[in-house]
Amino acid sequence: MAISYPTPRKSHEKKIDRSNLGMTLESDIEVTNQYYYDKKIAVIHKKPTPVQVVNVSYPARNKAKIVEAYYKTPSTTDFNGIYKGHYIDFDAKETKSATSIPLKNIHQHQIDHLKAITEHGGIGFLIVYFKAHNEYYLLPFDVLYNAHIESQTKGGRQSIAYQTFKEKAHLIPFSYQPRLDYLKIVDQLLIKPS
Amino acid sequence: MAISYPTPRKSHEKKIDRSNLGMTLESDIEVTNQYYYDKKIAVIHKKPTPVQVVNVSYPARNKAKIVEAYYKTPSTTDFNGIYKGHYIDFDAKETKSATSIPLKNIHQHQIDHLKAITEHGGIGFLIVYFKAHNEYYLLPFDVLYNAHIESQTKGGRQSIAYQTFKEKAHLIPFSYQPRLDYLKIVDQLLIKPS
């Protein structure tokens, strides 16, 4: 029997590679965001996973119980918020490949959304985790967009090379607290826009 | 950057009876946001309603079906996004009362969230619909916060009076397109912060 899994957002039930931490990229970011919030550094939240509710039952005196629903494709990115007065917007992606991340991992509507965001003066990017290297990168939207445009051309590359990350993205330090200090990279972008 | 609003056509200038439209405050805002997006005025989205998924089944060859889930209390407000480089954050409330809106309609975590947002340089507010008057108001966060603080004091008022809206909030024009032009009010707030 073919088993199809939901979009790996609520991946708590899935087997996780990072056995030491038992955490996913997403929860690493959420822990980081909580740290930023507690320290009054930034207010950045993950949006809830969108669900199409079809049927709800009301067990006696209990709260509404959803008995039929389906995961929907998000129309935006997963994370947004405010940092030093700037609108911040990003998505998190991971790849097992040591050499590249396939562009099919990044949906057209996410490209469109981030493009709109940056056009309105926001800061848009991806956080990409290369499992094989155990490295996290902040990929500025303009680098992503250029790769996306190239992929639309005949014979154009359909992925972003690891080498491109080395050259044009920014390695995010992974530490105890905050776990993934991506705003340190945003600080650099604010000083010297790419 | 000057934003030019389209001149409403004569036939649409008359007041619109909401009962004919069969729409809710929330969908009025979503229609407005779509207009803003299409016209490249702003990018503002409603966050999905958070759902706690307990059980998922996988019918053969079908996508994941959620068979047990519950609504969760949102930890933030419903709407956020970017306008002229500013982070925008708000919630929508409606009241049947002609004289006030009860403060219990506004959760503590929403107050906390909007407070954090404004401290970081964002623009936070409520859009409040007084059904009895068929009027929509943009209530700046500082007015909400003052009312909230008063409600915490002994014998303090537990609602915000309609009169306070007349004096300290901003009437949002309701028209055909955009339906609820709340960014016109935000423009005023940007020029003269309250």
Side-chain angles (χ1 to χ4, degrees), chain A residues 8-45:
Chain A
R9 300 177 174 283
K10 299 280 172 192
S11 42
H12 309 298
E13 298 115 280
K14 293 185 72 185
K15 245 183 186 162
I16 289 158
D17 225 2
R18 305 167 56 208
S19 46
N20 287 343
L21 293 168
M23 293 185 80
T24 64
L25 172 60
E26 186 178 299
S27 61
D28 284 338
I29 294 171
E30 291 201 79
V31 165
T32 303
N33 288 344
Q34 186 62 49
Y35 173 88
Y36 289 151
Y37 187 84
D38 293 343
K39 298 287 182 187
K40 295 187 183 298
I41 294 168
V43 181
I44 297 167
H45 285 281

Side-chain angles (χ1 to χ4, degrees), chain A residues 138-151:
Chain A
L138 187 151
L139 182 73
F141 176 70
D142 62 330
V143 183
L144 168 63
Y145 191 64
N146 288 341
H148 171 74
I149 292 297
E150 194 200 320
S151 76

Side-chain angles (χ1 to χ4, degrees), chain A residues 1-6 10 13 36-37 40-43 45-51 53 56 63-71 75-76 80-88 112-113 115-117 119-123, chain B residues 1 36-37 40-43 45-51 53-54 56 58-72 75-76 80-88 112-113 115-117 119-123:
Chain A
M1 189 179 82
I3 293 178
S4 66
Y5 290 92
K10 299 280 172 192
E13 298 115 280
Y36 289 151
Y37 187 84
K40 295 187 183 298
I41 294 168
V43 181
H45 285 281
K46 183 186 176 295
K47 295 185 185 176
T49 305
V51 159
V53 175
V56 179
K63 58 183 176 178
K65 178 182 175 182
I66 298 163
V67 293
E68 186 182 359
Y70 301 92
Y71 291 105
S75 53
T76 65
N80 76 355
I82 185 168
Y83 172 56
K84 292 182 178 174
H86 296 278
Y87 177 90
I88 303 285
D112 295 341
H113 175 72
K115 185 163 184 284
I117 286 307
E119 284 169 357
H120 284 275
I123 299 169
Chain B
M1 185 177 71
Y36 289 151
Y37 186 85
K40 295 187 184 295
I41 294 168
V43 181
H45 286 281
K46 183 185 176 297
K47 295 184 186 178
T49 305
V51 159
V53 175
V54 175
V56 179
Y58 301 92
R61 293 195 59 81
N62 276 333
K63 58 183 176 177
K65 179 182 174 184
I66 297 163
V67 292
E68 185 181 357
Y70 301 92
Y71 291 105
K72 284 196 296 186
S75 52
T76 65
N80 76 354
I82 185 168
Y83 172 55
K84 293 182 177 175
H86 296 277
Y87 177 90
I88 303 285
D112 294 341
H113 175 73
K115 186 163 183 283
I117 286 307
E119 283 168 358
H120 285 275
I123 299 168

Side-chain angles (χ1 to χ4, degrees), chain A residues 32 36 134-138 170-185 188:
Chain A
T32 303
Y36 289 151
N134 198 26
E135 286 174 351
Y136 301 83
Y137 287 92
L138 187 151
H170 306 265
L171 192 67
I172 302 170
F174 189 91
S175 63
Y176 179 66
Q177 223 177 22
R179 193 145 323 189
L180 271 178
D181 196 1
Y182 61 88
L183 289 181
K184 196 170 264 180
I185 310 297
Q188 296 173 21

Side-chain angles (χ1 to χ4, degrees), chain B:
Chain B
M1 185 177 71
I3 301 285
S4 63
Y5 294 89
T7 321
R9 283 176 289 170
K10 286 271 182 279
S11 55
H12 298 305
E13 278 177 352
K14 63 174 189 270
K15 229 183 184 176
I16 290 166
D17 181 6
R18 291 187 86 253
S19 55
N20 288 340
L21 294 168
M23 293 184 79
T24 64
L25 173 59
E26 186 177 297
S27 61
D28 284 338
I29 294 172
E30 291 201 79
V31 166
T32 303
N33 287 345
Q34 185 63 50
Y35 173 88
Y36 289 151
Y37 186 85
D38 294 343
K39 298 286 183 188
K40 295 187 184 295
I41 294 168
V43 181
I44 297 167
H45 286 281
K46 183 185 176 297
K47 295 184 186 178
T49 305
V51 159
Q52 177 73 50
V53 175
V54 175
N55 205 353
V56 179
S57 82
Y58 301 92
R61 293 195 59 81
N62 276 333
K63 58 183 176 177
K65 179 182 174 184
I66 297 163
V67 292
E68 185 181 357
Y70 301 92
Y71 291 105
K72 284 196 296 186
T73 307
S75 52
T76 65
T77 49
D78 270 359
F79 297 91
N80 76 354
I82 185 168
Y83 172 55
K84 293 182 177 175
H86 296 277
Y87 177 90
I88 303 285
D89 198 299
F90 64 99
D91 217 297
K93 305 284 179 189
E94 51 185 88
T95 180
K96 287 174 186 166
S97 163
T99 55
S100 70
I101 181 166
L103 276 163
K104 69 170 170 6
N105 285 11
I106 301 129
H107 305 300
Q108 179 67 48
H109 61 264
Q110 294 184 315
I111 303 269
D112 294 341
H113 175 73
L114 286 170
K115 186 163 183 283
I117 286 307
T118 55
E119 283 168 358
H120 285 275
I123 299 168
F125 53 88
L126 293 185
I127 290 180
V128 177
Y129 175 45
F130 277 89
K131 281 186 180 176
H133 302 284
N134 197 27
E135 285 174 351
Y136 301 82
Y137 287 93
L138 186 151
L139 181 74
F141 175 70
D142 62 330
V143 182
L144 168 62
Y145 191 65
N146 288 341
H148 171 75
I149 292 297
E150 193 200 321
S151 76
Q152 309 287 65
T153 62
K154 195 174 156 79
R157 186 181 174 117
Q158 299 300 310
S159 65
I160 308 177
Y162 175 66
Q163 192 57 35
T164 301
F165 282 82
K166 299 290 260 186
E167 290 164 8
K168 295 180 179 168
H170 306 267
L171 192 67
I172 302 170
F174 188 90
S175 65
Y176 180 67
Q177 223 178 23
R179 195 145 322 187
L180 269 179
D181 197 2
Y182 62 88
L183 289 181
K184 196 169 263 181
I185 310 297
V186 171
D187 280 334
Q188 297 172 21
L189 299 181
L190 288 173
I191 294 165
K192 195 186 72 171
S194 53

